[in-house]
Amino acid sequence: MARRLGASQYLYAKAEAMTDQFRIKIAQLNPTVGDLQGNAAKAKQAWLQGAEQGSDFVTLPEMFITGYNTQDLVMKPAFQNDAMNAVRELAKECADGPALGIGGPWVEDGALFNAYFILNGGDIQTIVKKHHLPNETVFDEVRIFEPGQVSGPYVINGVRIGSPVCEDAWHSDVVETLEETGAEFLFIPNGSPYYRGKLDVRLNLMVSRVVESGLPLIYLNLTGGQDDQIFDGCSFALNPGGELAAMLPMFEESITELILNRTDQGWRIADTLKSKIPDQLEADYHAMTIALRDYCAKSGFGKVLLGLSGGVDSALVATIAADALGAENVRCIMLPSEYTSDESLTDAKDMAENLGCRYDYLPIAEGRAAITNTLAPLFEGTNPDLTEENIQSRLRGLLLMAVSNKFGEMLLTTGNKSEVAVGYATIYGDMAGGYNPIKDLYKTRVFDICRWRNEQHRDWMRGPAGAVIPANIIEKPPSAELRPDQKDSDSLPDYYVLDGILTILVDQDGSIDDCVAAGFPKEDALRVQHLLYISEYKRFQSAPGARLSPKAFWLDRRYPIVNRWRER
């Protein structure tokens, strides 16, 4: 074990011995919102590694002490005080060793700031206050925080470091000020959640910052799932000119030391770990797996269950659950009616056996008969319609929730984004559940992901390798099986048409004319628009699910429940 120095001895020794080299340990870790002690313990463990290995500076991401995204929790004064006290206590515990950087809230003169703290020698040496506050997609920081003044660099062991906090680095003015006031390199703490293609956006923006400033740049991001958001990590380092010096893994915790060497042209980051970034299908699948794993872990569920219908959506959710938690922690229940085909019964059982999950068979005929008899006096003289179809779905929801309550297993719901968008789901029926891993995945992409998972296996998957999803599940026409010979296409446009229209109307905020220009029939576009708007009340009551796009249903896209406007 390395000899421990007192704070003043440590700082003096580092300043003397490392004038031409600076060692920064970046900790890409997974905090939990509200777990102040647990997050502080993670930070201290990273700091201890840095102290033992001779680091100059150990860093954690934005708002790490509280976890992120805190939403309105951080506006509660008692929470603010606890968070600030946790930072002060961490400073005392990490007095004898390297400086420690960590994000958290800060209250000053009655104003609340998103701040980044530099802890050194047992105290808070510097507080950097975030200046540009994002007010888009999942972020409401303009409503929550006050903008901080742009400040100059801080000094650690004689080196001047500039730290734009997350959004501050997306704008050129903060970096320009730091460069003009003598920053020698940029360290950027972030809480940047995943969406498809987000890493390319970050890299392009940060290359712009290093080209403009001529300074090396280190970008540290959170990782892990929090509610609907997934932080993908992918922390990286760039040298002047935009050359990549380091890339940390996607969706994994990683503590990595970066070494900066002083040259005649200024500081340069030595090449180190450059993790391979997965393709888009793998990234989405990993995101959904991490989202479910962390949602369960952070909310206290060790086991899950779902209704396994023999269809492609529930098959994919079961596979995600097995990969997230292990097959031994997943229960699949088939709840057949007289409309359930023999094909679906076989496919569901094969699916559960392929995964190694528990499989239960629970017919709904007896319960359905009892409900039908109970309602008969009120329904006398009416014809069977959608009401009776939905009774089947709601009965299944009741039974699944009963099993969830009895055994403490969280119920997963299985509606894809196409169904969630147009309300092709039964509220209080198949929408019942605590989490929906595929909520932001269009149906056409569900098929693509299923094929990908059958052909691939990764170390982070806890389920078995191989073609776990039977080919027949992927290939057969989708059906809710609530009436004889039912097909989804009886009620909806073909999914490639539906998903194309929804991509324009939802993801691109496009118009009916845009749909027509893309080649879709106007009558289909008008019909999908109508279904989209009248289903808002269902989405308002739906389970949270993994966010994969910048237009996921919940915080990204917020529409009124009652809305009579329609584009004609």
Side-chain angles (χ1 to χ4, degrees):
M1 182 176 289
R3 181 170 63 92
R4 301 298 294 275
L5 302 174
S8 60
Q9 293 174 298
Y10 183 95
L11 295 173
Y12 177 78
K14 295 297 289 183
E16 287 295 304
M18 303 294 281
T19 52
D20 292 325
Q21 189 176 87
F22 191 89
R23 302 165 73 91
I24 177 170
K25 190 171 289 292
I26 59 173
Q28 176 179 292
L29 298 178
N30 178 5
T32 298
V33 166
D35 186 7
L36 302 176
Q37 283 67 44
N39 298 338
K42 283 195 167 198
K44 186 175 180 181
Q45 282 300 116
W47 176 84
L48 286 171
Q49 285 190 35
E52 295 299 331
Q53 295 168 13
S55 302
D56 295 277
F57 189 22
V58 178
T59 58
L60 283 300
E62 177 186 17
M63 291 293 284
F64 189 85
I65 197 67
T66 59
Y68 200 50
N69 186 341
T70 56
Q71 301 185 68
D72 286 7
L73 174 62
V74 77
M75 299 172 74
K76 191 174 184 66
F79 182 71
Q80 296 165 3
N81 289 333
D82 282 353
M84 291 188 292
N85 287 335
V87 171
R88 294 185 185 101
E89 186 61 30
L90 190 61
K92 293 176 184 175
E93 293 179 5
C94 300
D96 296 332
L100 176 64
I102 189 168
W106 185 254
V107 178
E108 190 173 297
D109 298 327
L112 175 63
F113 298 95
N114 179 333
Y116 196 74
F117 306 99
I118 310 303
L119 313 181
N120 212 348
D123 206 349
I124 300 174
Q125 170 188 311
T126 304
I127 302 174
V128 180
K129 299 167 185 171
K130 190 173 182 178
H131 175 66
H132 290 289
L133 302 174
N135 197 47
E136 58 196 10
T137 62
V138 298
F139 296 108
D140 289 321
E141 292 204 354
V142 168
R143 184 172 67 86
I144 295 172
F145 297 108
E146 293 291 327
Q149 294 295 315
V150 179
S151 56
Y154 51 90
V155 179
I156 296 175
N157 296 346
V159 179
R160 298 173 64 82
I161 305 169
S163 282
V165 179
C166 198
E167 185 79 7
D168 288 346
W170 291 54
H171 303 266
S172 59
D173 57 341
V174 176
V175 171
E176 181 181 359
T177 298
L178 288 165
E179 187 267 328
E180 289 176 349
T181 53
E184 297 175 74
F185 74 87
L186 300 172
F187 164 70
I188 305 170
N190 296 270
S192 180
Y194 171 83
Y195 61 70
R196 213 170 282 129
K198 182 72 168 288
L199 177 58
D200 288 340
V201 175
R202 294 187 201 123
L203 280 167
N204 289 335
L205 281 164
M206 295 308 109
V207 167
S208 297
R209 298 294 88 86
V210 300
V211 169
E212 293 160 1
S213 67
L215 299 176
L217 179 151
I218 297 168
Y219 184 105
L220 173 60
N221 195 23
L222 291 164
T223 191
Q226 179 63 46
D227 296 343
D228 67 319
Q229 295 161 50
I230 311 104
F231 297 91
D232 51 315
C234 288
S235 305
F236 57 86
L238 299 170
N239 275 313
E243 181 183 358
L244 185 69
M247 174 66 73
L248 271 59
M250 181 176 265
F251 301 119
E252 295 178 21
E253 291 191 312
S254 178
I255 300 176
T256 300
E257 183 151 275
L258 302 178
I259 299 175
L260 291 94
N261 296 300
R262 192 190 299 274
T263 71
D264 293 340
Q265 291 78 42
W267 291 96
R268 296 293 182 268
I269 305 166
D271 275 6
T272 184
L273 173 70
K274 293 180 184 175
S275 298
K276 180 183 177 183
I277 301 304
D279 65 31
Q280 205 57 74
L281 289 176
E282 179 173 347
D284 274 3
Y285 189 81
H286 201 169
M288 292 184 288
T289 304
I290 289 293
L292 178 59
R293 184 180 297 167
D294 278 354
Y295 190 80
C296 288
K298 294 177 180 183
S299 59
F301 284 96
K303 294 178 179 289
V304 296
L305 78 150
L306 66 143
L308 194 64
S309 67
V312 69
D313 296 321
S314 62
L316 179 56
V317 171
T319 307
I320 291 169
D323 282 338
L325 306 174
E328 68 278 9
N329 295 311
V330 180
R331 181 198 299 258
C332 296
I333 304 181
M334 163 55 88
L335 301 109
S337 74
E338 67 268 33
Y339 304 121
T340 303
S341 66
D342 291 340
E343 187 179 34
S344 291
L345 292 172
T346 300
D347 289 341
K349 189 172 184 181
D350 288 348
M351 178 77 230
E353 289 176 351
N354 289 351
L355 288 175
C357 300
R358 173 167 176 163
Y359 177 75
D360 291 315
Y361 181 80
L362 195 63
I364 66 170
E366 187 176 344
R368 186 179 174 209
I371 293 170
T372 300
N373 291 335
T374 301
L375 290 169
L378 287 178
F379 286 7
E380 186 177 1
T382 65
N383 294 319
D385 55 18
L386 188 63
T387 304
E388 282 73 18
E389 292 183 23
N390 286 340
I391 285 172
Q392 298 171 63
S393 181
R394 292 191 172 113
L395 177 56
R396 288 178 173 127
L398 183 152
L399 296 172
L400 289 167
M401 280 305 304
V403 177
S404 173
N405 290 162
K406 180 63 68 176
F407 299 108
E409 300 165 353
M410 185 176 71
L411 175 59
L412 302 180
T413 183
T414 61
N416 60 70
K417 188 173 185 176
S418 311
E419 296 171 349
V420 170
V422 297
Y424 194 64
T426 305
I427 194 165
Y428 321 125
D430 57 328
M431 289 180 66
Y435 202 77
N436 181 356
I438 64 170
K439 186 177 182 179
D440 199 27
L441 197 68
Y442 284 123
K443 184 79 168 192
T444 48
R445 200 165 179 86
V446 168
F447 291 114
D448 292 340
I449 292 276
C450 286
R451 295 185 183 99
W452 177 88
R453 174 58 178 84
N454 273 354
E455 296 169 359
Q456 308 290 335
H457 196 266
R458 300 289 184 264
D459 290 343
W460 46 264
M461 297 176 182
R462 298 178 184 175
V468 293
I469 303 172
N472 192 56
I473 287 180
I474 301 172
E475 294 165 3
K476 67 185 177 184
S479 171
E481 295 192 329
L482 297 174
R483 62 176 182 266
D485 301 318
Q486 183 182 20
K487 301 289 185 292
D488 289 2
S489 54
D490 299 338
S491 305
L492 299 170
D494 288 335
Y495 277 113
Y496 77 91
V497 174
L498 177 61
D499 289 356
I501 293 171
L502 287 171
T503 297
I504 293 170
L505 296 181
V506 175
D507 297 73
Q508 300 171 9
D509 268 334
S511 66
I512 298 297
D513 286 345
D514 293 329
C515 295
V516 173
F520 298 110
K522 185 173 183 178
E523 57 272 24
D524 283 345
L526 288 169
R527 182 177 168 216
V528 170
Q529 176 194 233
H530 175 68
L531 293 172
L532 178 67
Y533 287 152
I534 66 170
S535 302
E536 201 65 49
Y537 82 101
K538 290 187 178 181
R539 287 190 290 275
F540 189 78
Q541 301 176 67
S542 64
R547 175 184 185 256
L548 306 174
S549 74
K551 283 292 184 179
F553 294 120
W554 188 33
L555 295 178
D556 285 304
R557 183 185 182 278
R558 311 176 207 183
Y559 270 60
I561 296 172
V562 176
N563 166 28
R564 288 197 174 184
W565 180 84
R566 300 290 186 271
E567 188 182 355
R568 298 300 176 186

